[in-house]
Amino acid sequence: MTLETIINGIVIAGVAVVFAVVAGGAFLTRRPSGRLTGTAMPFEGLSGWRLAAVTVLGWLGLAGLTAWLWIPIPVPLSNTGGLIARAAGLVVFLSGVILVLWGRGTLGPLWTVTTSKGVRLHREHRLIRHGPYAIVRHPMYLGFWLLVAGTLVIYRRWVLAAYLAVIVMRFAGRARMEERALAEAFGQDWTDYAGHVPMVIPWRRRHRGLWVSRSRPRA
């Protein structure tokens, strides 16, 4: 078994696990019924197997598009350089997978599928501050960014670069929308939390048990 085969197997397994968690969560989690911030998309009114089916079809379409546009980025690397790139990419990829799964597990029944146009919280929603949410405010989005960035470093394909650019923009918009909803729901508690925990980039220095950025606290 070659190193390339092992790396491919790890990447496929990691993507499959993340897909199963997202699709399974769409099927099992209860749809939120709290106040809507922004505008809901039509599919967000679905629940159970209907939402899971939309999720599965979306991922299958994405997989087909990826295979069709699997065009290499012309970056010549030596054998050693290629090995280093694959190893580094795998570390980044696995870090992303861990963050996505950790964040999903920490949110539990509070997690739901949303878009960047609208966010609806649960009526009994709580402000989560532990686990990865004590490191950054949006660990799952950071995890997806790292996951795609890792695959880009491993395989160096244009379609992966395009995916990374798209999800950075889309998830950044979604994160801002979620922060609007949380600020409206939790007021000063959210302000205090956001002032101590950075949005997506953790730093080394700690303050009151939470990771913080070097910039001034944000409201």
Side-chain angles (χ1 to χ4, degrees):
M1 183 178 294
T2 65
L3 178 61
E4 183 176 359
T5 301
I6 294 173
I7 291 176
N8 290 341
I10 293 174
V11 170
I12 292 171
V15 171
V17 169
V18 170
F19 165 75
V21 167
V22 173
F27 178 74
L28 296 173
T29 56
R30 179 171 51 88
R31 303 300 297 160
S33 57
R35 177 182 175 183
L36 173 67
T37 299
T39 304
M41 300 293 285
F43 82 89
E44 293 181 69
L46 302 176
S47 61
W49 68 267
R50 293 179 179 84
L51 182 59
V54 170
T55 303
V56 170
L57 290 175
W59 280 64
L60 289 175
L62 197 63
L65 181 65
T66 302
W68 184 46
L69 298 176
W70 197 250
I71 303 170
I73 299 175
V75 180
L77 294 175
S78 64
N79 290 337
T80 301
L83 178 61
I84 293 173
R86 288 193 293 273
L90 187 61
V91 170
V92 173
F93 172 83
L94 291 175
S95 299
V97 171
I98 291 170
L99 266 179
V100 171
L101 300 182
W102 190 14
R104 172 67 184 90
T106 302
L107 283 179
L110 297 180
W111 178 83
T112 188
V113 177
T114 62
T115 70
S116 59
K117 293 185 177 296
V119 172
R120 191 186 296 276
L121 301 180
H122 292 274
R123 292 188 182 278
E124 67 281 9
H125 210 94
R126 306 185 311 277
L127 183 57
I128 303 299
R129 309 183 193 212
H130 60 279
Y133 294 89
I135 302 172
V136 292
R137 302 200 298 271
H138 300 280
M140 291 187 68
Y141 297 154
L142 175 59
F144 276 110
W145 293 345
L146 292 175
L147 187 156
V148 178
T151 58
L152 173 60
V153 174
I154 293 170
Y155 298 112
R156 300 184 297 282
R157 294 298 192 268
W158 285 113
V159 66
L160 298 176
Y163 287 161
L164 182 59
V166 169
I167 69 167
V168 165
M169 291 186 293
R170 297 290 294 180
F171 284 0
R174 185 184 301 183
R176 287 191 291 269
M177 184 65 68
E178 288 179 358
E179 298 211 338
R180 278 181 51 194
L182 292 168
E184 293 172 0
F186 297 104
Q188 188 60 44
D189 286 344
W190 169 259
T191 299
D192 293 341
Y193 169 68
H196 287 84
V197 179
M199 191 170 185
V200 289
I201 303 177
W203 297 93
R204 296 177 181 177
R205 186 165 60 89
R206 284 181 179 267
H207 179 65
R208 297 180 185 176
L210 298 177
W211 289 83
V212 299
S213 65
R214 297 183 186 276
S215 59
R216 293 190 303 171
R218 293 180 56 191

